[in-house]
Amino acid sequence: MARLVVLLVSMVFALAACAPPPPTVGPDGKPLPRVYRIKAGDTAKIQFRALDTVNALRQAAGQQTLELDSKLNAAAATHSRDMSVQNRPWHFGSDGSSPLDRVQRVGYSGILVGENISETYENESETLAAWMQEPATRNVILNPRARKMGFSWFQEPNGKIWWTMVTGS
């Protein structure tokens, strides 16, 4: 009897091992998206990685590097969460606020240069790369007047990430 149980268990494991792996490529031939999960303690690491990437892009374009600004980070975080609540990526808050209103609310004393937003499942590097592909969002990243940067996000339980980048002088 014990041999029969061992044989049956072995067969179950053998059959389970025969199951094909999940597909990694979609019907269009492109890789399937993977959910990028952000852990609670990753905030500073992600913000500095984004800053390093932005500064490398700016240096390559002959522009001055940026510094992270805590007030701009706060404005970006507020807007990312609000976009999730509204379930749409756009530059106006649910209360009608503009990017200028949001940086003033957090006490930023400089001048708003620009704001980039995104709704995606991609990480910060992929999001920055996508912004560099479009003239309007690339201009926010490379604007010569910019000296400060805020960068933040809100991730929904399903993995969707709402990214916001704010630049100021």
Side-chain angles (χ1 to χ4, degrees), residues 108-122:
Y108 182 69
S109 60
I111 298 170
L112 173 71
V113 173
E115 178 182 75
N116 285 340
I117 57 173
S118 180
E119 167 195 16
T120 185
Y121 291 89
E122 297 175 333

PDB file of all heavy atoms in Angstrom, residues 108-122:
ATOM      1  N   TYR A 108       6.379  75.688  -1.749  1.00  0.00           N
ATOM      2  CA  TYR A 108       7.543  75.839  -2.629  1.00  0.00           C
ATOM      3  C   TYR A 108       7.654  77.308  -3.036  1.00  0.00           C
ATOM      4  O   TYR A 108       6.708  77.890  -3.555  1.00  0.00           O
ATOM      5  CB  TYR A 108       7.405  74.940  -3.859  1.00  0.00           C
ATOM      6  CG  TYR A 108       8.598  75.011  -4.779  1.00  0.00           C
ATOM      7  CD1 TYR A 108       9.825  74.495  -4.390  1.00  0.00           C
ATOM      8  CD2 TYR A 108       8.493  75.584  -6.038  1.00  0.00           C
ATOM      9  CE1 TYR A 108      10.926  74.556  -5.229  1.00  0.00           C
ATOM     10  CE2 TYR A 108       9.586  75.640  -6.884  1.00  0.00           C
ATOM     11  CZ  TYR A 108      10.797  75.127  -6.475  1.00  0.00           C
ATOM     12  OH  TYR A 108      11.887  75.194  -7.313  1.00  0.00           O
ATOM     13  N   SER A 109       8.804  77.902  -2.780  1.00  0.00           N
ATOM     14  CA  SER A 109       8.965  79.333  -3.037  1.00  0.00           C
ATOM     15  C   SER A 109       9.546  79.630  -4.411  1.00  0.00           C
ATOM     16  O   SER A 109       9.587  80.787  -4.827  1.00  0.00           O
ATOM     17  CB  SER A 109       9.844  79.965  -1.953  1.00  0.00           C
ATOM     18  OG  SER A 109      11.115  79.349  -1.956  1.00  0.00           O
ATOM     19  N   GLY A 110       9.990  78.603  -5.123  1.00  0.00           N
ATOM     20  CA  GLY A 110      10.529  78.807  -6.469  1.00  0.00           C
ATOM     21  C   GLY A 110       9.418  78.912  -7.502  1.00  0.00           C
ATOM     22  O   GLY A 110       8.232  79.025  -7.175  1.00  0.00           O
ATOM     23  N   ILE A 111       9.822  78.835  -8.752  1.00  0.00           N
ATOM     24  CA  ILE A 111       8.886  78.939  -9.867  1.00  0.00           C
ATOM     25  C   ILE A 111       8.680  77.553 -10.472  1.00  0.00           C
ATOM     26  O   ILE A 111       9.653  76.835 -10.734  1.00  0.00           O
ATOM     27  CB  ILE A 111       9.426  79.911 -10.938  1.00  0.00           C
ATOM     28  CG1 ILE A 111       9.561  81.307 -10.337  1.00  0.00           C
ATOM     29  CG2 ILE A 111       8.533  79.930 -12.173  1.00  0.00           C
ATOM     30  CD1 ILE A 111      10.312  82.284 -11.215  1.00  0.00           C
ATOM     31  N   LEU A 112       7.434  77.171 -10.700  1.00  0.00           N
ATOM     32  CA  LEU A 112       7.126  75.914 -11.362  1.00  0.00           C
ATOM     33  C   LEU A 112       7.639  75.975 -12.799  1.00  0.00           C
ATOM     34  O   LEU A 112       7.371  76.928 -13.528  1.00  0.00           O
ATOM     35  CB  LEU A 112       5.617  75.665 -11.363  1.00  0.00           C
ATOM     36  CG  LEU A 112       5.150  74.460 -12.175  1.00  0.00           C
ATOM     37  CD1 LEU A 112       5.545  73.155 -11.479  1.00  0.00           C
ATOM     38  CD2 LEU A 112       3.649  74.529 -12.403  1.00  0.00           C
ATOM     39  N   VAL A 113       8.391  74.960 -13.208  1.00  0.00           N
ATOM     40  CA  VAL A 113       8.863  74.871 -14.591  1.00  0.00           C
ATOM     41  C   VAL A 113       7.985  73.916 -15.385  1.00  0.00           C
ATOM     42  O   VAL A 113       7.600  74.206 -16.514  1.00  0.00           O
ATOM     43  CB  VAL A 113      10.349  74.451 -14.655  1.00  0.00           C
ATOM     44  CG1 VAL A 113      10.787  74.199 -16.081  1.00  0.00           C
ATOM     45  CG2 VAL A 113      11.227  75.518 -14.007  1.00  0.00           C
ATOM     46  N   GLY A 114       7.651  72.758 -14.815  1.00  0.00           N
ATOM     47  CA  GLY A 114       6.812  71.818 -15.547  1.00  0.00           C
ATOM     48  C   GLY A 114       6.422  70.614 -14.716  1.00  0.00           C
ATOM     49  O   GLY A 114       6.928  70.407 -13.610  1.00  0.00           O
ATOM     50  N   GLU A 115       5.517  69.817 -15.284  1.00  0.00           N
ATOM     51  CA  GLU A 115       5.041  68.609 -14.610  1.00  0.00           C
ATOM     52  C   GLU A 115       4.852  67.520 -15.655  1.00  0.00           C
ATOM     53  O   GLU A 115       4.301  67.763 -16.724  1.00  0.00           O
ATOM     54  CB  GLU A 115       3.707  68.899 -13.912  1.00  0.00           C
ATOM     55  CG  GLU A 115       3.102  67.691 -13.223  1.00  0.00           C
ATOM     56  CD  GLU A 115       1.768  68.003 -12.580  1.00  0.00           C
ATOM     57  OE1 GLU A 115       0.756  68.133 -13.323  1.00  0.00           O
ATOM     58  OE2 GLU A 115       1.724  68.122 -11.345  1.00  0.00           O
ATOM     59  N   ASN A 116       5.334  66.324 -15.349  1.00  0.00           N
ATOM     60  CA  ASN A 116       5.092  65.139 -16.167  1.00  0.00           C
ATOM     61  C   ASN A 116       4.280  64.158 -15.347  1.00  0.00           C
ATOM     62  O   ASN A 116       4.514  64.006 -14.142  1.00  0.00           O
ATOM     63  CB  ASN A 116       6.406  64.462 -16.578  1.00  0.00           C
ATOM     64  CG  ASN A 116       7.127  65.211 -17.670  1.00  0.00           C
ATOM     65  OD1 ASN A 116       6.537  66.009 -18.394  1.00  0.00           O
ATOM     66  ND2 ASN A 116       8.408  64.962 -17.799  1.00  0.00           N
ATOM     67  N   ILE A 117       3.347  63.482 -16.007  1.00  0.00           N
ATOM     68  CA  ILE A 117       2.509  62.495 -15.330  1.00  0.00           C
ATOM     69  C   ILE A 117       2.429  61.234 -16.181  1.00  0.00           C
ATOM     70  O   ILE A 117       2.653  61.276 -17.397  1.00  0.00           O
ATOM     71  CB  ILE A 117       1.090  63.041 -15.066  1.00  0.00           C
ATOM     72  CG1 ILE A 117       0.425  63.483 -16.376  1.00  0.00           C
ATOM     73  CG2 ILE A 117       1.128  64.164 -14.038  1.00  0.00           C
ATOM     74  CD1 ILE A 117      -1.029  63.873 -16.253  1.00  0.00           C
ATOM     75  N   SER A 118       2.114  60.119 -15.522  1.00  0.00           N
ATOM     76  CA  SER A 118       1.983  58.863 -16.247  1.00  0.00           C
ATOM     77  C   SER A 118       1.125  57.886 -15.451  1.00  0.00           C
ATOM     78  O   SER A 118       1.175  57.864 -14.226  1.00  0.00           O
ATOM     79  CB  SER A 118       3.366  58.257 -16.486  1.00  0.00           C
ATOM     80  OG  SER A 118       3.260  57.040 -17.179  1.00  0.00           O
ATOM     81  N   GLU A 119       0.380  57.074 -16.184  1.00  0.00           N
ATOM     82  CA  GLU A 119      -0.389  55.969 -15.627  1.00  0.00           C
ATOM     83  C   GLU A 119       0.165  54.712 -16.288  1.00  0.00           C
ATOM     84  O   GLU A 119       0.064  54.557 -17.511  1.00  0.00           O
ATOM     85  CB  GLU A 119      -1.865  56.149 -15.976  1.00  0.00           C
ATOM     86  CG  GLU A 119      -2.720  54.939 -15.739  1.00  0.00           C
ATOM     87  CD  GLU A 119      -4.070  55.042 -16.439  1.00  0.00           C
ATOM     88  OE1 GLU A 119      -4.247  55.891 -17.337  1.00  0.00           O
ATOM     89  OE2 GLU A 119      -4.944  54.249 -16.084  1.00  0.00           O
ATOM     90  N   THR A 120       0.788  53.830 -15.510  1.00  0.00           N
ATOM     91  CA  THR A 120       1.483  52.702 -16.121  1.00  0.00           C
ATOM     92  C   THR A 120       1.712  51.583 -15.114  1.00  0.00           C
ATOM     93  O   THR A 120       1.444  51.744 -13.922  1.00  0.00           O
ATOM     94  CB  THR A 120       2.830  53.171 -16.707  1.00  0.00           C
ATOM     95  OG1 THR A 120       3.455  52.100 -17.397  1.00  0.00           O
ATOM     96  CG2 THR A 120       3.766  53.679 -15.629  1.00  0.00           C
ATOM     97  N   TYR A 121       2.236  50.480 -15.597  1.00  0.00           N
ATOM     98  CA  TYR A 121       2.706  49.390 -14.741  1.00  0.00           C
ATOM     99  C   TYR A 121       4.233  49.336 -14.793  1.00  0.00           C
ATOM    100  O   TYR A 121       4.842  48.437 -14.252  1.00  0.00           O
ATOM    101  CB  TYR A 121       2.118  48.051 -15.191  1.00  0.00           C
ATOM    102  CG  TYR A 121       0.638  47.944 -14.938  1.00  0.00           C
ATOM    103  CD1 TYR A 121      -0.282  48.378 -15.880  1.00  0.00           C
ATOM    104  CD2 TYR A 121       0.156  47.440 -13.743  1.00  0.00           C
ATOM    105  CE1 TYR A 121      -1.646  48.300 -15.639  1.00  0.00           C
ATOM    106  CE2 TYR A 121      -1.201  47.356 -13.492  1.00  0.00           C
ATOM    107  CZ  TYR A 121      -2.096  47.786 -14.445  1.00  0.00           C
ATOM    108  OH  TYR A 121      -3.443  47.712 -14.188  1.00  0.00           O
ATOM    109  N   GLU A 122       4.848  50.302 -15.471  1.00  0.00           N
ATOM    110  CA  GLU A 122       6.293  50.304 -15.676  1.00  0.00           C
ATOM    111  C   GLU A 122       7.017  50.938 -14.501  1.00  0.00           C
ATOM    112  O   GLU A 122       6.458  51.745 -13.762  1.00  0.00           O
ATOM    113  CB  GLU A 122       6.632  51.076 -16.956  1.00  0.00           C
ATOM    114  CG  GLU A 122       6.055  50.432 -18.201  1.00  0.00           C
ATOM    115  CD  GLU A 122       6.288  51.268 -19.446  1.00  0.00           C
ATOM    116  OE1 GLU A 122       6.406  52.507 -19.343  1.00  0.00           O
ATOM    117  OE2 GLU A 122       6.350  50.671 -20.533  1.00  0.00           O
TER     118      GLU A 122
END
